[in-house]
């Protein structure tokens, strides 16, 4: 007897992973860097993390309540935004500035463009850059680190001074709450890779491109110590694994991800070595976020059996 098959419309593959599970995995992956930040900077770091997360959740809930939209705070994306924003703040920042940054990230970068899946840039980085422009002094104050009043390791490098790369690797250096410990960030990256949340296309192409740019144009030649210090400082590891890989604001095509990472590496190198700042990661990611539609358009795979149209006329 013949079996009757009911053919339905695509998609036919069902994925059990939902947004909440993805965000939960990202939260777990951020815990090593967050806990080290609290250990490194003290109670102020914990307060800023809590204020940032609670504010992001509140602003998303309030916006949807005011406009009578379905609440989406249960998907945990606002928690991730708040956590990532806090990771990019100095622990000495006044708590009320973190609230302003959270409001800008959620309302102006995320919700006004349609909510999760519609934002054109990473909300946490949007909030950080807004705070950098609005409150430059407090956002570059790292005096909460053992009474530290000098420059960050990257600023010292830019000034031609030497730095301790082992301290940069471990994280016992001044900086923002979540960027200092390369080891903690890499532990989180491994967690996301094992969970299948990210792949290495964007981080690898980003870090490799930046490394090549550093060796060729930073003015230090093939100095391995200088390269390691540049890779361990300025939030490039946090940016490469946790913010450049954001599903919404990064390309979805395989080749597009690689192109995206290459552009990130080039821009970060240009901003760091030819600009006035020793950082550059946040602005590089945001600028490249704007190029994602063009990158995807140029790298979209050709459908099987479809022939490209000839530029010449005739049959």
């Amino acid at each position: 007897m013949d079996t009757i098959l009911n053919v339905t419309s695509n998609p036919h593959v069902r994925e059990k992973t939902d947004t909440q599970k993805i965000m939960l995995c990202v939260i777990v992956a951020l815990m090593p860097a967050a806990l080290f930040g609290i250990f490194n900077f003290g109670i102020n770091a914990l307060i800023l993390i809590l204020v940032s997360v609670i504010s992001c959740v509140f602003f998303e809930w309030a916006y949807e309540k005011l406009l009578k939209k379905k609440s989406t705070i249960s998907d945990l994306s606002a928690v991730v935004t708040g956590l990532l924003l806090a990771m990019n703040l100095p622990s000495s920042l006044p708590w009320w500035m973190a609230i302003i940054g959270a409001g800008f990230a959620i309302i102006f970068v995320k919700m006004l463009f349609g909510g999760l899946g519609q934002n054109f840039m990473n909300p946490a980085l949007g909030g950080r850059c807004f705070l950098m422009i609005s409150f430059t002094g407090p956002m570059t104050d790292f005096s909460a680190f053992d009474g530290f009043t000098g420059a960050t390791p990257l600023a010292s490098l830019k000034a031609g001074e030497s730095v301790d790369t082992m301290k940069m690797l471990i994280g016992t250096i001044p900086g923002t709450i979540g960027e200092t410990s390369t080891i903690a960030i890499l532990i989180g990256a491994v967690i996301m890779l094992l969970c299948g949340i990210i792949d290495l296309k964007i981080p690898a192409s980003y870090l490799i491109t930046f490394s090549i740019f550093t060796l060729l144009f930073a003015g230090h030649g093939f100095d391995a110590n200088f390269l390691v210090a540049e890779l361990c400082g300025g939030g490039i590891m946090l940016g490469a694994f946790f913010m450049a890989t954001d599903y919404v604001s990064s390309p979805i095509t395989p080749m597009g991800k690689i192109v995206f990472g290459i552009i990130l590496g080039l821009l970060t190198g240009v901003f760091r070595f030819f600009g006035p700042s020793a950082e550059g990661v946040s602005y590089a990611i945001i600028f490249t976020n704007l190029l994602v539609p063009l990158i995807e358009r140029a790298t979209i795979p050709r459908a099987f059996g479809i022939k490209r149209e000839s530029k010449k006329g005739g049959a």
Side-chain angles (χ1 to χ4, degrees):
M1 184 176 179
D2 294 336
T3 302
I4 299 177
L5 300 177
N6 181 25
V7 180
T8 60
S9 61
N10 62 312
H12 302 293
V13 178
R14 297 292 184 264
E15 175 58 58
K16 294 181 180 180
T17 302
D18 56 17
T19 301
Q20 186 184 67
K21 292 179 181 178
I22 292 173
M23 295 300 167
L24 182 59
C25 182
V26 175
I27 292 170
V28 172
L30 281 168
M31 282 300 101
L35 292 175
F36 185 87
I38 296 170
F39 166 79
N40 201 30
F41 299 108
I43 190 66
N44 287 342
L46 176 60
I47 292 173
L48 273 181
I49 290 173
L50 293 177
V51 168
S52 181
V53 170
I54 293 171
S55 298
C56 283
V57 173
F58 170 77
F59 282 121
E60 184 164 319
W61 172 84
Y63 181 92
E64 292 171 332
K65 190 75 173 178
L66 183 64
L67 297 184
K68 297 181 180 180
K69 294 178 177 287
K70 180 182 177 181
S71 176
T72 58
I73 59 173
S74 61
D75 65 16
L76 300 180
S77 62
V79 175
V80 170
T81 297
L83 193 51
L84 280 173
L85 175 61
M87 297 291 95
N88 284 278
L89 302 177
S91 61
S92 59
L93 192 77
W95 59 269
W96 58 270
M97 291 185 185
I99 295 177
I100 293 176
F104 185 85
I106 293 296
I107 296 176
F108 290 95
V109 180
K110 182 180 179 182
M111 302 310 295
L112 286 180
F113 286 90
L116 182 65
Q118 304 298 321
N119 47 281
F120 67 97
M121 71 170 65
N122 184 285
L125 282 183
R128 180 185 189 271
C129 290
F130 176 77
L131 290 176
M132 280 290 293
I133 295 171
S134 304
F135 309 104
T136 305
M139 283 292 291
T140 54
D141 177 15
F142 303 107
S143 59
F145 181 77
D146 285 338
F148 180 87
T149 57
T152 61
L154 276 192
S156 297
L157 277 176
K158 196 174 182 68
E161 302 172 10
S162 61
V163 297
D164 189 332
T165 52
M166 184 55 67
K167 285 186 177 181
M168 296 182 73
L169 187 66
I170 296 171
T172 53
I173 57 173
T176 63
I177 294 172
E179 77 174 13
T180 60
S181 177
T182 301
I183 293 176
I185 293 169
L186 290 178
I187 291 173
V190 170
I191 292 174
M192 290 201 295
L193 287 168
L194 292 177
C195 291
I197 303 300
I198 65 171
D199 59 36
L200 287 174
K201 291 185 182 67
I202 291 176
S205 57
Y206 183 3
L207 297 176
I208 291 172
T209 302
F210 175 75
S211 298
I212 295 173
F213 190 97
T214 300
L215 294 174
L216 294 177
F217 301 109
H220 288 259
F222 289 82
D223 185 342
N225 188 70
F226 179 83
L227 176 60
V228 171
E230 286 289 341
L231 288 173
C232 290
I236 191 169
M237 289 295 179
L238 184 67
F241 288 102
F242 286 96
M243 290 175 284
T245 55
D246 176 33
Y247 285 179
V248 179
S249 55
S250 63
I252 60 173
T253 60
M255 183 55 67
K257 292 180 179 181
I258 296 174
V259 173
F260 183 77
I262 292 173
I263 296 174
L264 282 175
L266 294 174
L267 286 179
T268 303
V270 169
F271 292 157
R272 278 195 183 183
F273 304 127
F274 299 102
S277 173
E279 308 291 337
V281 173
S282 297
Y283 294 110
I285 294 176
I286 284 181
F287 183 82
T288 314
N289 285 158
L290 302 178
L291 300 179
V292 168
L294 295 176
I295 294 173
E296 289 186 335
R297 182 176 180 181
T299 60
I300 189 169
R302 186 155 45 110
F304 182 75
I306 300 298
K307 194 174 183 180
R308 293 185 188 274
E309 293 185 8
S310 175
K311 293 182 179 180
K312 298 180 179 180

